[in-house]
Amino acid sequence: MADAPKLGFGPFTAPDRGVLVVFCDEGLKFGPATAKVLGSAIGLVARAAKAERFTGKNGKSLGLVMPEGLKIDRLVVIGAGKTADLKPQDFVKFGGVAMGKMPSGASELMVFAELPNEAMTGEQAADLAQGVLLRAYAFDRYKTKSKDDDKPPAKRSVTIATGDAAAARKAFVAREAIAGGVLMARDLVNEPPNILYPDEFARRAQALKKVGVKVEVLDVKAMTKLGMGALLGVGQGSRRDSRTVVMRWDGGKKKDAPLAFIGKGVCFDTGGISIKPGAGMEDMKGDMAGAACVVGLMHALAARKAKVNVVGVIGVVENMPDGNAQRPGDIVTSMSGQTIEIINTDAEGRLVLADVLWYTAKRFKPKFMIDLATLTGAIIVALGQEYAGMFTNNDELSHRLHLAGEAVDEKVWRMPLSPFYDKMIDSKFADMKNTGGSRWGGAITAAQFIQRFIADKTPWVHLDIAGTGMDSRSSDINKSWGSGWGVRLLDKLVADHYEK
Ligand code: BES
Ligand code: MN
Ligand code: ZN
């Protein structure tokens, strides 16, 4: 990936080169430090604003090249809109917009963290900085031939000018940890499937040891002993052995039950014997976005030393057609003891989750379990790329996740669970079958299937992230195919409710 820019905080001073970003409101008004540095260039801004019909609306911007009277190469004015309405997420977005205005050839960017009527707080300046990091990410590890004049300068630096650099630096520690988790998740999702197969995924998760996470890897032998027949059935057609990875961060009180996050980690989903059509199949390298989110979240929580006990458990497999692959008609026995008739080998994610969720509930007796999975195309039909589908047996978690999602702009929309859908997965030959039989309500029948593996009435949420985890909408803070969706959402959930 492109090297992250070197990020720092400093006082308001007039830069003598590079790009300067400043903020105005809907009256094109600037704060005092900004006005002082702009000096007579304010008249140029007013003229340009008129010509470009720039009115300072939230997130819009105006660019001036080499404004007279200033030594900089470019001045960018970002509209903050009605500044009384601004929420933390607006500042993250502004950081993204600012970074997006750094031309590829520029090596220095300075952002004035000042609003017309009030100084930005340390938190707000730190939010800007987080937005810069999220926007600066690019996955170009495998581009060997980019022309020299396309390449960004080797050393890029971004300085956030603020009235209280010490406060901003302090507030940035946690935000940097969270951004680091998002970028880690994006990297995992973007990696090609020949490089990132289950065992390699497990190795990458081991890197979390550096931030104090305990990492344990279960191999095929260990999972066989546990009776994880549902997960193992999915992986049996692959030359790459399956893994389950258990990650633990113990930042809370010793006796406190942990929160549990579970991820679907299908490193590549061909569909298996029920093979997928060729067009677009390459996207199925991202079928481990749920697991990637869990790894990124563990990084975020550990790196910011969250005061909470958390376990992350991911089932990592590859779904391939092969002489030894699972067949439609096969009946497998899950760790729970329940038997499953395989109708379609392409409905593999729920099989992986079935065993990993059962295992997590039984071993850790968590306060709750939240699973993330690129589980169904049907959820994309229902919700597009804007909301993830949320299924849950717990109204409080539903409410909390809804609010956290709105706050960080990783939104979830609750979908129904009910006995009516549940009976659609009853099987003639086994306890259940792995598809609903028709395509109708496909995201719901998948969730019903998973619910049958929630032991001991554990509070549980299933997030279907097929529309948001990869190839999702681009935004001011994300231009990457793998979005890292969910890290910020779940970090926010934990921070708001479980670190007391
Ligand atoms: N990984 C896919 C779901 C998916 C589709 C994710 C598109 C991202 C983009 C999942 O394993 C799958 O194949 N689901 C099937 C289920 C069906 C066979 C019941 C689907 O959605 O078609
Ligand atoms: Mn599939
Ligand atoms: Zn899949």
Side-chain angles (χ1 to χ4, degrees), residues 35-254:
K36 193 169 156 213
V37 163
L38 293 186
S40 59
I42 285 193
L44 299 177
V45 171
R47 271 173 59 198
K50 199 160 170 220
E52 302 281 316
R53 296 202 161 145
F54 172 79
T55 58
K57 284 214 162 48
N58 184 322
K60 294 268 183 286
S61 64
L62 174 73
L64 276 76
V65 179
M66 293 187 276
E68 207 182 321
L70 298 173
K71 291 189 187 145
I72 52 176
D73 303 325
R74 184 189 282 208
L75 171 67
V76 178
V77 182
I78 296 179
K82 296 193 176 52
T83 55
D85 301 344
L86 293 175
K87 300 183 184 65
Q89 187 54 30
D90 285 304
F91 294 88
V92 180
K93 179 182 78 183
F94 291 157
V97 175
M99 186 62 209
K101 294 294 166 189
M102 190 168 185
S104 61
S107 51
E108 283 169 58
L109 178 74
M110 183 178 270
V111 185
F112 266 34
E114 189 186 48
L115 295 170
N117 299 312
E118 58 204 306
M120 283 190 202
T121 63
E123 272 100 27
Q124 290 165 338
D127 280 336
L128 277 179
Q130 190 190 50
V132 166
L133 289 185
L134 294 173
R135 175 62 178 262
Y137 173 87
F139 185 78
D140 49 15
R141 184 172 294 160
Y142 299 99
K143 295 261 193 197
T144 67
K145 296 199 172 176
S146 40
K147 292 182 228 84
D148 274 347
D149 42 345
D150 288 347
K151 276 191 187 151
K155 286 197 171 67
R156 293 184 298 168
S157 79
V158 177
T159 307
I160 313 278
T162 154
D164 192 346
R169 270 184 213 111
K170 190 160 169 251
F172 184 57
V173 174
R175 286 161 176 83
E176 187 178 27
I178 296 162
V182 175
L183 303 196
M184 192 178 272
R186 286 181 187 170
D187 263 349
L188 289 167
V189 177
N190 286 326
E191 280 286 7
N194 58 327
I195 304 289
L196 193 73
Y197 48 91
D199 197 34
E200 173 62 15
F201 197 124
R203 272 194 290 275
R204 303 249 179 136
Q206 311 247 10
L208 291 171
K209 286 178 181 166
K210 273 187 284 189
V211 287
V213 175
K214 295 186 198 107
V215 184
E216 206 181 307
V217 179
L218 308 185
D219 59 11
V220 170
K221 200 170 149 211
M223 290 187 283
T224 305
K225 212 167 150 206
L226 286 164
M228 291 188 168
L231 182 152
L232 289 168
V234 175
Q236 77 186 29
S238 171
R239 300 283 284 266
R240 310 287 199 180
D241 275 349
S242 304
R243 296 284 183 270
T244 288
V245 184
V246 179
M247 298 156 275
R248 303 181 63 166
W249 167 249
D250 297 316
K253 297 197 194 81
K254 209 163 184 162

Side-chain angles (χ1 to χ4, degrees), residues 264 266 269 276 284 287 346 348-349 374-375:
K264 168 181 173 182
V266 177
D269 180 14
K276 288 179 181 295
M284 285 302 118
D287 208 19
D346 197 10
E348 84 297 340
T374 47
L375 204 65

Side-chain angles (χ1 to χ4, degrees), residues 89 387 401-413 489:
Q89 187 54 30
Y387 284 78
L401 276 166
H402 170 78
L403 292 179
E406 296 286 332
V408 303
D409 196 27
E410 289 185 346
K411 299 188 293 283
V412 296
W413 194 261
L489 169 73

